[in-house]
Amino acid sequence: MTRAIVKGAVVAGTDGSAESLAAADWAADDAVRRGLPLRLVQAVPLAGPRERVTRPAWSAHPTADEIGRRHPDLSVTVDQIAEQVLPVLFSAADSADSAELMVLGTRGAGAVQELVLGSTALTIAGRAPVPVVLVSAASGTGAPPGADGAGDVVLGLDLAAPDGRPVEFAFDEAARRGARLRVVHGWSEPLHDGAGPVDPDQALAAALGPWAEKHPRTPVVTEAVVAGAAARLAAAASHAALLVLGRRPRTTPVSAHLGSTAHAVLRRVTLPVAIVPHAPAGT
């Protein structure tokens, strides 16, 4: 077994499924855009009460070789770890020192029973301290930029609880792709902060302003949604390359906390979805 900790890498969980192979491909493309190495992580389950390591029926090494042929300048490592899947992935995503983001495969939209809270990908996405991108086998790598929203990066922004991390992630992804950023923002009327009522336009400008200044060449379009945010986000992202959603800090030590909107969106779309954790309270 190899165990190579790669600092500042794009990490993809792999198990040989079509979903995980799609995730590995997406992660490779994003690693190239970011100028980072790619780390493929494979859990090798333990067998029996004495915790003997089972010989894996599938290995991530051929996948790494194929990615290397497609991206000859990309550094790709394979990390096969003798442990159950969830502990392996939690460990890989535990710190930004070892992972800039994690990419995992999901079974996609259309089957609610296959997208339950207990699924591995959603559990990690609900608890990881780094952004987690969920990729289905049907999502591919995203359409190139073009008309009718094709190739856009779409950001779902809750003006009632804006946070800079999802906004920064969405702007950075759009800039790297040379794509347009579409911001679908919503709130529950009336919008308030600690001091009283807030004008939604002012709140939107405050949330986007620092990152728009940092990326002046990234075109931005905005759309306000007061109700039905999940359906509107899914529609806005129907031809997009990536959908970015924020995740508020967990309210309990062990449960996943993606929020009702994120769950509803994930049941509707097949494109890659990035779940970006908000900054911890007090930071």
Side-chain angles (χ1 to χ4, degrees), residues 90-119:
F90 275 132
S91 176
D94 189 50
S95 171
D97 290 338
S98 59
E100 182 159 315
L101 77 158
M102 173 166 277
V103 187
L104 299 173
T106 67
R107 295 185 179 180
V112 173
Q113 67 272 19
E114 293 181 344
L115 209 55
V116 295
L117 275 172
S119 71

Side-chain angles (χ1 to χ4, degrees), residues 18 41 64 69 89 103 118 130 179 214 218-220 230 242 267-268:
V41 176
R69 285 190 287 270
L89 294 180
V103 187
V130 297
K214 184 179 178 180
T218 298
V220 179
L242 179 67
R267 291 185 173 100
R268 286 175 164 89

Side-chain angles (χ1 to χ4, degrees), residues 1 10 19 47 56 61 64 105 110 112 121 132 140-141 144 179 188 192 211 216 223 229-230 253:
M1 306 296 175
V10 174
E19 296 81 19
H61 288 285
V112 173
V132 176
T141 56
S188 298
H192 287 266
W211 314 114
E223 178 181 347

Side-chain angles (χ1 to χ4, degrees), residues 11-244:
V11 177
T14 57
D15 62 8
S17 66
E19 296 81 19
S20 78
L21 295 178
D25 285 342
W26 194 96
D29 291 341
D30 206 61
V32 170
R33 284 190 289 266
R34 292 171 178 269
L36 293 175
L38 173 66
R39 178 186 174 205
L40 301 181
V41 176
Q42 179 186 0
V44 181
L46 302 174
R50 295 182 180 180
E51 295 189 337
R52 293 174 299 173
V53 179
T54 62
R55 183 177 182 84
W58 177 86
S59 172
H61 288 285
T63 299
D65 292 341
E66 178 59 32
I67 289 173
R69 285 190 287 270
R70 186 156 57 90
H71 298 294
D73 295 328
L74 176 64
S75 173
V76 184
T77 60
V78 174
D79 198 349
Q80 292 179 314
I81 303 171
E83 183 57 89
Q84 302 303 319
V85 174
L86 275 174
V88 166
L89 294 180
F90 275 132
S91 176
D94 189 50
S95 171
D97 290 338
S98 59
E100 182 159 315
L101 77 158
M102 173 166 277
V103 187
L104 299 173
T106 67
R107 295 185 179 180
V112 173
Q113 67 272 19
E114 293 181 344
L115 209 55
V116 295
L117 275 172
S119 71
T120 298
L122 290 191
T123 300
I124 299 296
R127 297 176 60 185
V130 297
V132 176
V133 180
L134 304 175
V135 179
S136 76
S139 64
T141 56
D148 300 324
D152 285 359
V153 172
V154 176
L155 168 66
L157 180 64
D158 181 3
L159 285 185
D163 184 88
R165 289 187 177 183
V167 178
E168 180 182 21
F169 186 93
F171 265 101
D172 286 348
E173 279 287 339
R176 289 188 183 97
R177 297 166 181 270
R180 180 175 65 174
L181 176 62
R182 179 181 294 186
V183 182
V184 179
H185 57 97
W187 69 93
S188 298
E189 295 183 314
L191 188 63
H192 287 266
D193 62 12
V198 176
D199 178 79
D201 291 336
Q202 293 178 348
L204 180 63
L208 301 182
W211 314 114
E213 291 180 6
K214 184 179 178 180
H215 299 287
R217 296 184 180 180
T218 298
V220 179
V221 296
T222 63
E223 178 181 347
V225 176
V226 177
R232 189 65 207 110
L233 274 170
S238 59
H239 299 292
L242 179 67
L243 173 61
V244 180

